[in-house]
Amino acid sequence: MAKHSTVNGFHNHRNSAYSPSPAKKKNLKRRASFADISGDENRSRKSPKKAHGDFVQGQNGMRMKRMKRITSAGSSTMGATGGKMSGKTFSIQEQRNQLPIAKGKEALINELRENDVTVLVGETGSGKTTQVPQYILEAGLTGTGMIAVTQPRKVAATSLATRVATEKNVSVGDLVGYSVRFDEASSSSTKIKYVTDGMLIRELLMDSTLSRYSVIIVDEAHERTLRTDLLLSNLKRIQKERNVASGDSGGKKGKEPASKLNPLKVIIMSATLDAEKFSKFYGNAKILYVQGRQHPVTIYHTATSQPDYVDSALRTFFQIHTDQPPGDILIFLPGQEDIENLEKSIKLYANQLPKDAPGVAVYPMYAALPASQQTSVFSPAPQGMRKCILATNIAETSITIPGIKFVIDTGKCKEKRYISRDAGSGFDTLLTRDITQSSALQRAGRAGREGHGFCFRLYTEDAFKSMPLSAEPEIRRCTLTSSILQLKCLGQDLEELDFMDKPDPDSIGSAFAILYLLGAIDDAKKLTKLGKQMAFFPLEPPLARSLMASVEHGCTKEVIDIVSILSASSKLFYDNSDNRESAAEIRRKFRHGSGDHMTVLNVLRSYEEMCASQSKSGRREWCRSQMLNERCLIEALDIRAQLRNACERQEIDYNVTCGDAEQPVLKSLIRGLVHQSAFLQADGSYKQIMGPSIVKIHPGSSLSDKKVPAIIYDELIYTTNIYARGVSNNGERRKNIGPPSPDGLVPRKEKVLEANGKTILKIKVGQTLNLQYRGDFCPSRHIGLEPPLVLDPPPVCTVDVVDLKKRDTESSNPMTTESQSQCHQHPDLLPLPHLHPDLELQQCTVNPKNSYRKLLRESIKTRGWRANIDHGWTKKLETRRDRGGYLCMFGEQGDRSSPR
Ligand SMILES: Nc1ncnc2c1ncn2[C@@H]1O[C@H](COP(=O)(O)OP(=O)(O)OP(=O)(O)O)[C@@H](O)[C@H]1O
């Protein structure tokens, strides 16, 4: 491979076997409690002193030299297996025995037996994920319980279960199974279950101590997904309940179980983990280290930085393809768009290669693709072709893709991030950014699974060194709505949980506001009956709320269809900027005037009609001709079956239909997407109801060429602009609202009160005031809880009046307890904000933005009202200092806009 030092200007800085980065080595030295189960005596002398626990010498330990010998022998004997089952089993067993972790098996088992919590660090490919569960099972550490191995991604969970089932010579779902969202393969004989971390969190709702499991292995913990963090926190709690009589376990085996519950062992694993941090979180748990990897990976860096990483990946690919021996290539790119572009270019240039050159089979791999298409990458390349997989970081951890010898790493990824802008009013979006050192090591680790591998990094070694060691935990950068709801069902408060890293108070405030709007919590932040029902469905809270609303509106059948499509992992309309217009033309017949939600319903209806008369190939052809993603439809039907099942258990009749009427469906959707609404501005753009962002309708939407007064949307994506995707018209809805009357929402006119010669106005204005949420945010006191249902009348019309003189008495509350509860039950209306008796009034000088003022003026004019809104009333805003974010505006008498 010396030749590679010139490829695309690459430097081979490490001609030796792949080794931990300098930063990682430094980390290892800092360890408090350290045991080397590889049994390398030389290393053991260098290891730092243990802080507690014994230093364990692997009984079957191996030395580095010996490992290298085994390594090279192994690389030449392994490969895609085939032939008879017995031969295959033998070869796989041989393969297992050669894994670095196998040499320390005895020592590892002893450590796991001794410790309730263990942090296990081992290089990629050392055998942690596939072997540790099997060792535990073989050693009888599980008792009658099961072993759960968590994975951040579905594809990893399913492919690992398949691999380990093969190693055990059983079918998937038998001794070895998996459970991922909307898919499960397990039975009463399952002892090892690969699960996504999200699924285990869901299991907590049913069984708060996860009593079915004796061992829970949290794999790839370095990714620090939100769910992993929730799990880590809960596992700590569960161990306290299950393992020890009282106090902190300190990661040590409890002597006296507190109850009859079986004790739980927790193992935290990764190749690139800040082991000390995890150890500390679990009371200085034991850290074990597996030295070595089965096959070396040679890493190359570019001599200069490569700003056009797609072009650079293209050139590197063809240099490998034309110069290097057989072996498949895995290219890491940030997202779908880059993958599609590179796929096109590779196919184009591959056609121009000399006739005798091997062909190229390109496979894209990203989360939005259907599961079956994702798993097709595991099949061998067609005869005489080189497989080229273009993947996002979905392929970064845990998985072994047979045949991969070369990895090209662009050094970029997309990261979900909460765009806060103004606190509490942001949204999650995917942003392209540089990867971390952890990711780079994981990506390199995908080569060298079956033999010597090579990784070409499209960035310099200096760039690698300047990357952060690991990513910011998701809990610090994403919305917390779903997690808070799930925790509420467990009787837990996110703010009070013991996390490795505390979540951001602004994100917590925003999540509470949304849950309150959805009716999942009340104004004391208590879980409502409705919230509990919502959490029962494996859906994001907004979609779960829409489903619940459909019961009231008599359209459960239609809403389940729509949310099933929205919950599928791939997109129904699979197009890009090149074919968008032609695709829109072809799909015109499905288009519904109210927007994308009814449009997808039309598609699903047509698909089902067509399915009744068509064969499998006929269906595929129909979808192809309509430019529809059949995988999404198939998955949606599967999800629908599960949602119907869940409905049955909740005693909800999922067959209730509204026929062709769209209003009930839209009403239900609006109820769930209440916080994802925007209204038209004079310049044709849309302004968020909750939040200050200006958004445009995505060009792929059926409403992109329309200007409706208000919209709801499924998601916002952030590119050159902020685009709303999955858009429907919220306008029809407004006509139905009318003046808020019975149900305790007394018409405002009658609520005009005077206090000390002043008319006191309470105005709900949405979050346009840039108010800050705080950790102890109380939604009902928040002026920003304006449901879009009251868009018309526009925001100024939602003026409510509060008698400040009476604010200390119960009657001052514009909503009595009774009326509040009525409101909660009312499908269309939410309680008006009200003054709380213990509210201390403060003044602050937050003014609405000019744009808001302009909007008010226009709104008032439209309704034929008189108002002098530039004067006076915007000047004062009541707020409570420690809470921020409330409340009332005052105006001099006469300032108030009032109906004619
Ligand atoms: N599906 C598979 N097909 C072929 N070989 C596999 C497969 N899965 C695992 N292996 C083999 O087992 C080895 C160990 O895999 P395992 O997933 O246990 O490693 P690991 O230490 O958990 O590493 P990582 O953190 O990178 O997943 C791989 O390097 C590969 O040789």
Side-chain angles (χ1 to χ4, degrees), residues 551-611:
V551 178
E552 294 154 33
H553 294 295
C555 54
T556 309
K557 190 171 190 289
E558 288 74 22
V559 171
I560 287 188
D561 281 357
I562 293 171
V563 300
S564 298
I565 290 187
L566 299 184
S567 303
S569 51
S570 54
K571 296 261 178 274
L572 175 60
F573 300 133
Y574 185 67
D575 44 46
N576 53 40
S577 42
D578 287 352
N579 64 5
R580 190 162 288 140
E581 274 177 29
S582 53
E585 194 48 45
I586 290 170
R587 298 189 204 118
R588 187 171 290 280
K589 56 185 155 307
F590 303 119
R591 233 165 130 161
H592 193 285
S594 70
D596 298 330
H597 296 95
M598 291 302 291
T599 299
V600 298
L601 182 62
N602 281 345
V603 172
L604 188 69
R605 282 171 174 167
S606 306
Y607 176 73
E608 284 192 286
E609 254 171 49
M610 181 274 304
C611 282

Coordinates of all heavy atoms in Angstrom, one line a residue, residues 551-611:
V551 N -60.4 11.0 17.5 CA -61.5 10.3 18.1 C -62.6 11.2 18.3 O -63.8 10.9 18.0 CB -61.0 9.7 19.5 CG1 -62.1 9.0 20.2 CG2 -59.8 8.8 19.3
E552 N -62.3 12.5 18.7 CA -63.4 13.5 18.9 C -64.0 13.9 17.6 O -65.2 14.2 17.5 CB -62.8 14.7 19.6 CG -62.4 14.4 21.0 CD -61.3 15.4 21.4 OE1 -61.4 16.6 21.0 OE2 -60.4 15.0 22.2
H553 N -63.1 13.9 16.6 CA -63.6 14.4 15.3 C -64.2 13.3 14.3 O -64.5 13.6 13.2 CB -62.5 15.2 14.6 CG -62.1 16.5 15.3 ND1 -63.0 17.5 15.4 CD2 -61.0 16.8 15.9 CE1 -62.4 18.5 16.1 NE2 -61.2 18.1 16.4
G554 N -64.2 12.1 14.8 CA -64.7 11.0 14.1 C -64.0 10.7 12.8 O -64.6 10.5 11.7
C555 N -62.7 10.7 12.8 CA -61.9 10.4 11.6 C -60.6 9.6 12.0 O -59.6 9.8 11.4 CB -61.5 11.7 10.9 SG -60.6 12.9 12.0
T556 N -60.7 8.7 12.9 CA -59.5 7.9 13.4 C -58.9 7.2 12.2 O -57.7 7.1 12.1 CB -59.9 7.0 14.5 OG1 -60.6 7.8 15.5 CG2 -58.7 6.4 15.2
K557 N -59.8 6.6 11.4 CA -59.3 5.8 10.3 C -58.3 6.6 9.4 O -57.2 6.2 9.1 CB -60.5 5.3 9.4 CG -60.1 4.3 8.4 CD -61.4 3.8 7.8 CE -61.2 2.6 6.9 NZ -60.6 2.9 5.6
E558 N -58.7 7.8 9.0 CA -58.0 8.7 8.1 C -56.7 9.2 8.8 O -55.6 9.1 8.3 CB -58.8 9.9 7.7 CG -59.9 9.6 6.7 CD -61.1 8.9 7.3 OE1 -61.3 9.0 8.6 OE2 -61.8 8.2 6.6
V559 N -56.8 9.6 10.1 CA -55.7 10.1 10.8 C -54.6 9.0 11.0 O -53.4 9.3 10.9 CB -56.1 10.9 12.1 CG1 -54.9 11.2 12.9 CG2 -56.9 12.1 11.7
I560 N -55.0 7.8 11.3 CA -54.1 6.8 11.5 C -53.3 6.5 10.2 O -52.1 6.4 10.2 CB -54.7 5.5 12.0 CG1 -55.1 5.6 13.5 CG2 -53.8 4.2 11.8 CD1 -55.6 4.3 14.1
D561 N -54.0 6.6 9.1 CA -53.3 6.4 7.8 C -52.2 7.5 7.6 O -51.1 7.2 7.2 CB -54.3 6.5 6.7 CG -55.1 5.3 6.5 OD1 -54.9 4.3 7.2 OD2 -56.0 5.2 5.6
I562 N -52.6 8.7 7.9 CA -51.7 9.8 7.7 C -50.5 9.7 8.6 O -49.3 9.8 8.2 CB -52.4 11.2 7.8 CG1 -53.4 11.3 6.7 CG2 -51.4 12.3 7.8 CD1 -54.3 12.5 6.8
V563 N -50.7 9.5 9.9 CA -49.6 9.5 10.9 C -48.7 8.2 10.6 O -47.5 8.3 10.9 CB -50.0 9.6 12.4 CG1 -50.7 10.8 12.7 CG2 -50.8 8.4 12.8
S564 N -49.3 7.2 10.0 CA -48.5 6.0 9.7 C -47.5 6.4 8.6 O -46.3 6.0 8.7 CB -49.3 4.9 9.2 OG -50.2 4.5 10.2
I565 N -47.9 7.1 7.6 CA -47.0 7.6 6.6 C -45.9 8.5 7.2 O -44.8 8.4 6.9 CB -47.7 8.2 5.4 CG1 -48.5 7.1 4.7 CG2 -46.8 8.9 4.4 CD1 -49.2 7.5 3.4
L566 N -46.4 9.4 8.0 CA -45.4 10.4 8.6 C -44.4 9.7 9.5 O -43.3 10.2 9.7 CB -46.2 11.5 9.4 CG -47.2 12.4 8.6 CD1 -47.8 13.5 9.4 CD2 -46.5 13.0 7.3
S567 N -44.8 8.6 10.0 CA -43.9 7.9 11.0 C -42.9 6.9 10.3 O -42.0 6.4 10.9 CB -44.7 7.1 12.0 OG -45.5 8.0 12.7
A568 N -43.2 6.7 9.0 CA -42.3 5.7 8.3 C -40.9 6.3 8.2 O -40.7 7.5 8.3 CB -42.8 5.5 6.9
S569 N -39.9 5.4 8.1 CA -38.5 5.9 8.2 C -38.0 6.5 6.9 O -37.0 7.2 6.8 CB -37.6 4.8 8.7 OG -37.8 3.7 7.9
S570 N -38.8 6.3 5.8 CA -38.4 6.9 4.5 C -39.5 7.8 4.0 O -40.6 7.8 4.5 CB -38.2 5.8 3.5 OG -39.3 5.0 3.4
K571 N -39.2 8.6 3.1 CA -40.1 9.6 2.6 C -41.0 9.0 1.5 O -40.5 8.2 0.7 CB -39.4 10.8 2.0 CG -38.6 11.6 3.0 CD -39.3 12.8 3.5 CE -38.6 13.5 4.6 NZ -38.8 13.1 5.9
L572 N -42.3 9.4 1.4 CA -43.2 8.9 0.4 C -42.8 9.5 -1.0 O -42.8 8.8 -2.0 CB -44.6 9.2 0.8 CG -45.7 8.9 -0.2 CD1 -45.7 7.4 -0.5 CD2 -47.1 9.3 0.3
F573 N -42.6 10.8 -1.0 CA -42.2 11.4 -2.2 C -40.7 11.5 -2.3 O -40.1 12.3 -1.6 CB -42.9 12.8 -2.3 CG -44.4 12.8 -2.2 CD1 -45.0 13.6 -1.3 CD2 -45.1 11.9 -2.9 CE1 -46.4 13.6 -1.2 CE2 -46.5 11.9 -2.8 CZ -47.1 12.7 -2.0
Y574 N -40.2 10.7 -3.2 CA -38.8 10.5 -3.2 C -38.3 11.3 -4.4 O -38.2 10.8 -5.5 CB -38.5 9.1 -3.3 CG -37.0 8.8 -3.2 CD1 -36.3 9.0 -2.0 CD2 -36.3 8.3 -4.3 CE1 -35.0 8.8 -1.9 CE2 -35.0 8.0 -4.2 CZ -34.3 8.3 -3.0 OH -33.0 8.1 -3.0
D575 N -38.0 12.6 -4.2 CA -37.5 13.3 -5.4 C -36.4 14.3 -5.0 O -36.3 14.6 -3.8 CB -38.6 14.0 -6.1 CG -39.6 14.7 -5.2 OD1 -39.1 15.4 -4.3 OD2 -40.8 14.6 -5.4
N576 N -35.7 14.8 -5.9 CA -34.7 15.8 -5.6 C -34.9 17.0 -6.5 O -35.8 17.0 -7.4 CB -33.3 15.2 -5.7 CG -33.1 14.6 -7.1 OD1 -33.6 15.1 -8.1 ND2 -32.5 13.4 -7.1
S577 N -34.1 18.0 -6.4 CA -34.3 19.2 -7.1 C -34.3 19.0 -8.7 O -35.0 19.7 -9.4 CB -33.2 20.3 -6.8 OG -32.0 19.6 -6.7
D578 N -33.7 17.9 -9.1 CA -33.6 17.7 -10.6 C -35.0 17.3 -11.2 O -35.3 17.6 -12.3 CB -32.6 16.6 -10.9 CG -31.2 17.1 -10.8 OD1 -31.0 18.3 -10.6 OD2 -30.3 16.3 -10.8
N579 N -35.6 16.4 -10.4 CA -36.8 15.8 -11.0 C -38.1 16.3 -10.3 O -39.2 15.7 -10.5 CB -36.8 14.3 -11.0 CG -36.8 13.7 -9.6 OD1 -36.9 14.5 -8.6 ND2 -36.7 12.4 -9.4
R580 N -38.0 17.4 -9.5 CA -39.1 17.8 -8.7 C -40.3 18.2 -9.5 O -41.4 17.8 -9.3 CB -38.7 18.9 -7.8 CG -39.7 19.3 -6.8 CD -39.1 20.1 -5.7 NE -38.2 19.4 -4.8 CZ -37.1 19.8 -4.3 NH1 -36.6 21.0 -4.6 NH2 -36.3 19.0 -3.5
E581 N -40.0 18.9 -10.6 CA -41.2 19.4 -11.4 C -41.9 18.2 -12.1 O -43.1 18.1 -12.1 CB -40.7 20.4 -12.5 CG -40.7 21.8 -11.9 CD -40.1 22.8 -12.8 OE1 -40.3 22.6 -14.0 OE2 -39.5 23.8 -12.3
S582 N -41.1 17.3 -12.7 CA -41.8 16.2 -13.4 C -42.5 15.3 -12.4 O -43.6 14.9 -12.7 CB -40.8 15.4 -14.2 OG -39.7 15.0 -13.4
A583 N -41.9 15.1 -11.2 CA -42.6 14.3 -10.2 C -43.9 15.0 -9.8 O -44.9 14.3 -9.6 CB -41.7 14.2 -9.0
A584 N -43.9 16.3 -9.6 CA -45.1 17.0 -9.2 C -46.2 16.8 -10.2 O -47.4 16.6 -9.9 CB -44.8 18.5 -8.9
E585 N -45.8 16.9 -11.5 CA -46.7 16.7 -12.6 C -47.4 15.3 -12.6 O -48.6 15.2 -12.6 CB -46.0 17.0 -13.9 CG -46.9 17.2 -15.1 CD -48.0 18.2 -14.9 OE1 -47.6 19.3 -14.3 OE2 -49.1 18.0 -15.3
I586 N -46.5 14.3 -12.4 CA -47.0 13.0 -12.4 C -48.0 12.7 -11.2 O -49.0 12.1 -11.3 CB -45.9 12.0 -12.3 CG1 -45.1 12.0 -13.7 CG2 -46.3 10.6 -12.0 CD1 -43.8 11.3 -13.7
R587 N -47.7 13.4 -10.1 CA -48.5 13.1 -8.9 C -49.6 14.1 -8.7 O -50.3 14.1 -7.7 CB -47.6 13.2 -7.6 CG -46.5 12.3 -7.6 CD -45.8 12.4 -6.2 NE -44.5 11.9 -6.2 CZ -43.4 12.6 -5.9 NH1 -43.5 13.9 -5.6 NH2 -42.2 12.1 -6.0
R588 N -49.8 14.9 -9.8 CA -50.9 15.9 -9.7 C -52.2 15.3 -9.2 O -53.0 15.9 -8.5 CB -51.0 16.6 -11.0 CG -51.9 17.8 -11.0 CD -51.8 18.6 -12.3 NE -50.5 19.3 -12.4 CZ -50.2 20.5 -11.8 NH1 -51.1 21.0 -11.0 NH2 -49.1 21.0 -11.9
K589 N -52.5 14.1 -9.8 CA -53.8 13.5 -9.5 C -54.1 13.2 -8.0 O -55.2 13.1 -7.6 CB -54.0 12.2 -10.3 CG -52.9 11.2 -10.0 CD -53.1 10.0 -11.0 CE -51.8 9.3 -11.2 NZ -50.7 10.0 -11.7
F590 N -53.0 13.1 -7.2 CA -53.2 12.9 -5.8 C -53.4 14.1 -5.0 O -53.8 14.1 -3.9 CB -52.0 12.1 -5.2 CG -51.6 10.9 -5.9 CD1 -50.4 10.7 -6.5 CD2 -52.5 9.8 -5.9 CE1 -50.1 9.5 -7.2 CE2 -52.2 8.6 -6.6 CZ -51.0 8.5 -7.2
R591 N -53.0 15.2 -5.7 CA -53.0 16.5 -4.9 C -54.3 16.9 -4.3 O -55.3 16.8 -5.0 CB -52.5 17.6 -5.9 CG -51.3 18.3 -5.4 CD -50.7 19.1 -6.5 NE -50.5 20.4 -6.1 CZ -49.7 21.3 -6.7 NH1 -49.0 20.9 -7.7 NH2 -49.6 22.5 -6.2
H592 N -54.2 17.3 -3.1 CA -55.5 17.8 -2.5 C -55.3 19.3 -2.2 O -54.2 19.7 -1.7 CB -55.7 17.0 -1.1 CG -57.0 17.2 -0.6 ND1 -57.4 18.4 0.1 CD2 -58.1 16.4 -0.5 CE1 -58.7 18.2 0.5 NE2 -59.1 17.0 0.1
G593 N -56.3 20.0 -2.4 CA -56.3 21.5 -2.2 C -55.9 21.9 -0.9 O -55.3 23.0 -0.7
S594 N -56.1 21.1 0.1 CA -55.8 21.6 1.5 C -54.3 21.3 1.9 O -53.9 21.8 2.9 CB -56.7 20.8 2.5 OG -56.3 19.5 2.6
G595 N -53.6 20.6 1.0 CA -52.2 20.5 1.3 C -51.7 19.0 1.4 O -52.3 18.1 0.9
D596 N -50.5 18.9 2.0 CA -49.8 17.6 1.8 C -50.3 16.4 2.7 O -50.2 15.3 2.3 CB -48.3 17.8 2.3 CG -47.6 18.8 1.4 OD1 -48.0 18.9 0.2 OD2 -46.7 19.5 1.9
H597 N -51.0 16.8 3.7 CA -51.5 15.7 4.6 C -52.6 14.9 3.9 O -52.6 13.7 3.8 CB -52.0 16.2 5.9 CG -50.9 16.8 6.7 ND1 -50.6 18.1 6.7 CD2 -49.9 16.2 7.5 CE1 -49.5 18.4 7.4 NE2 -49.1 17.2 7.9
M598 N -53.6 15.6 3.3 CA -54.7 15.0 2.6 C -54.1 14.3 1.3 O -54.6 13.3 0.8 CB -55.8 15.9 2.2 CG -56.6 16.4 3.5 SD -57.3 15.1 4.4 CE -58.6 14.5 3.3
T599 N -53.1 14.9 0.8 CA -52.4 14.4 -0.4 C -51.9 13.0 -0.2 O -52.1 12.0 -0.9 CB -51.3 15.3 -1.0 OG1 -52.0 16.6 -1.3 CG2 -50.7 14.8 -2.2
V600 N -51.1 12.8 1.0 CA -50.6 11.5 1.3 C -51.7 10.5 1.5 O -51.6 9.3 1.2 CB -49.5 11.5 2.4 CG1 -48.3 12.4 2.1 CG2 -50.1 11.9 3.7
L601 N -52.8 11.0 2.1 CA -53.9 10.1 2.3 C -54.5 9.6 1.0 O -54.8 8.4 0.8 CB -55.0 10.8 3.1 CG -56.2 10.0 3.5 CD1 -55.8 8.8 4.4 CD2 -57.3 10.8 4.2
N602 N -54.6 10.5 0.0 CA -55.0 10.1 -1.3 C -54.1 9.1 -1.9 O -54.5 8.1 -2.5 CB -55.0 11.3 -2.3 CG -56.3 12.2 -2.0 OD1 -57.2 11.7 -1.4 ND2 -56.2 13.4 -2.5
V603 N -52.8 9.2 -1.7 CA -51.8 8.3 -2.3 C -52.1 6.9 -1.6 O -52.1 5.9 -2.3 CB -50.4 8.8 -2.0 CG1 -49.4 7.7 -2.4 CG2 -50.1 10.0 -2.8
L604 N -52.2 6.9 -0.3 CA -52.3 5.6 0.4 C -53.6 4.9 -0.1 O -53.7 3.7 -0.3 CB -52.3 5.8 1.9 CG -52.3 4.5 2.7 CD1 -50.9 3.8 2.5 CD2 -52.5 4.8 4.2
R605 N -54.7 5.7 -0.2 CA -56.0 5.1 -0.7 C -55.8 4.5 -2.1 O -56.2 3.4 -2.3 CB -57.1 6.2 -0.7 CG -57.6 6.5 0.7 CD -58.5 7.7 0.6 NE -59.2 8.0 1.8 CZ -59.8 9.1 2.1 NH1 -59.9 10.1 1.2 NH2 -60.4 9.3 3.2
S606 N -55.1 5.3 -3.0 CA -55.0 4.8 -4.3 C -54.1 3.5 -4.3 O -54.3 2.6 -5.1 CB -54.3 5.8 -5.2 OG -55.0 7.0 -5.2
Y607 N -53.1 3.5 -3.5 CA -52.2 2.4 -3.4 C -52.9 1.1 -3.0 O -52.8 0.1 -3.6 CB -51.0 2.7 -2.5 CG -50.1 1.6 -2.2 CD1 -49.2 1.2 -3.2 CD2 -50.0 0.9 -1.0 CE1 -48.3 0.1 -3.0 CE2 -49.2 -0.2 -0.8 CZ -48.3 -0.5 -1.8 OH -47.4 -1.6 -1.6
E608 N -53.7 1.3 -2.0 CA -54.5 0.1 -1.5 C -55.5 -0.4 -2.5 O -55.6 -1.6 -2.7 CB -55.2 0.5 -0.2 CG -54.2 0.6 1.0 CD -55.0 0.7 2.3 OE1 -55.5 1.7 2.6 OE2 -55.0 -0.4 3.0
E609 N -56.1 0.5 -3.2 CA -57.0 0.1 -4.3 C -56.3 -0.7 -5.3 O -56.7 -1.7 -5.8 CB -57.6 1.4 -5.0 CG -59.1 1.7 -4.6 CD -59.5 3.0 -5.1 OE1 -59.3 3.3 -6.3 OE2 -60.0 3.8 -4.3
M610 N -55.1 -0.1 -5.7 CA -54.3 -0.8 -6.8 C -53.9 -2.1 -6.3 O -53.9 -3.1 -7.1 CB -53.2 0.2 -7.1 CG -52.2 -0.3 -8.2 SD -50.9 -1.3 -7.6 CE -50.2 -0.3 -6.3
C611 N -53.5 -2.2 -5.0 CA -52.9 -3.5 -4.5 C -53.9 -4.6 -4.6 O -53.6 -5.8 -4.8 CB -52.5 -3.3 -3.0 SG -51.0 -2.5 -2.8

